[in-house]
Amino acid sequence: GSSQGGVWVAFAGSEGVARIDRDGITRYSPTDGAPSGVNALLEDRRGTVWAATGHGLFRYAGNRWSRMTEADGYNGEQASSVYEDRAGRVWVGSARGLYRHDGTQLRLVDTTATHVEGLVEDDAGNLWVTDRATIVKKLGAPSPVRLDPRIHLPLPGYRIIPDHHGGFLVASFSGGLFRLANPTASHPLLEPVEYEHRM
């Protein structure tokens, strides 16, 4: 979505990005400094657009695209995801780990959470991320998730979304779908979702 009533889209390959609104389509190509190879796009509540790409992290503000560098606090190389939490903070999953934007600078806040593809907040305000080996984990939490005996690690998590009951659905790269029914519990259980129960 877009605060101006439009929507941002990324094109496959090296075609850049576009904004679609009432006035039509505005295309931004890599020659305009726009990103290509976009993995995720987010427009935050300030109207800044973030693009996580295979070539780094890009930002669109003041009608121009720029690539985030060490001067911005970012040296995460390729970026896989971008997420805005309820407090309005922007999180970026990258090859180096998980970054958080504090309004002015990006900071590397978790080096163990690399190549995060999905992020979601639970009802207690904890951030959960997909994990390359253990499907899903809570940021900054030592206590691991309990696993249903049918789950055999390592298994890479891919996307994570709320399930509208306070829990999460987590998709694996392998095609498996899992549910974390009570993420705010002290030792939440991750279970496979049977196909016939899928909504």
Side-chain angles (χ1 to χ4, degrees):
S2 166
S3 59
Q4 284 82 41
V7 63
W8 286 88
V9 293
F11 298 104
S14 58
E15 298 300 306
V17 296
R19 185 162 167 266
I20 305 167
D21 59 23
R22 291 178 215 91
D23 302 325
I25 300 177
T26 309
R27 292 190 75 139
Y28 301 89
S29 75
T31 54
D32 305 317
S36 60
V38 174
N39 297 316
L41 271 175
L42 169 83
E43 181 170 2
D44 69 23
R45 63 188 65 178
R46 297 175 190 86
T48 299
V49 178
W50 301 86
T53 85
H55 313 289
L57 177 67
F58 290 74
R59 181 170 66 184
Y60 180 80
N63 288 322
R64 68 182 194 92
W65 283 100
S66 53
R67 185 176 185 269
M68 299 294 95
T69 65
E70 299 218 15
D72 306 294
Y74 186 81
N75 59 357
E77 298 156 4
Q78 65 264 39
S80 49
S81 57
V82 59
Y83 176 81
E84 184 179 23
D85 67 20
R86 288 195 284 265
R89 295 175 301 191
V90 172
W91 300 75
V92 179
S94 82
R96 299 280 299 266
L98 196 64
Y99 285 77
R100 188 177 64 218
H101 191 253
D102 62 12
T104 52
Q105 286 283 109
L106 286 142
R107 287 199 173 81
L108 183 60
V109 292
D110 192 333
T111 55
T112 67
T114 56
H115 298 283
V116 166
E117 297 280 348
L119 305 91
V120 73
E121 222 171 338
D122 68 23
D123 290 340
N126 301 300
L127 206 63
W128 290 79
V129 299
T130 53
D131 184 80
R132 279 262 161 130
T134 63
I135 309 174
V136 63
K137 71 175 183 178
K138 184 164 76 171
L139 273 195
S143 58
V145 166
R146 287 184 302 131
L147 298 178
D148 180 284
R150 291 169 289 178
I151 298 174
H152 303 287
L153 300 182
L155 204 54
Y158 178 49
R159 293 280 190 252
I160 182 168
I161 60 166
D163 69 358
H164 306 299
H165 304 288
F168 305 138
L169 290 172
V170 189
S172 164
F173 270 115
S174 67
L177 186 65
F178 305 90
R179 176 176 283 117
L180 194 67
N182 191 354
T184 57
S186 53
H187 296 284
L189 176 67
L190 188 69
E191 298 174 287
V193 175
E194 302 302 332
Y195 279 90
E196 60 269 25
H197 295 151
R198 292 191 184 186
M199 303 306 280

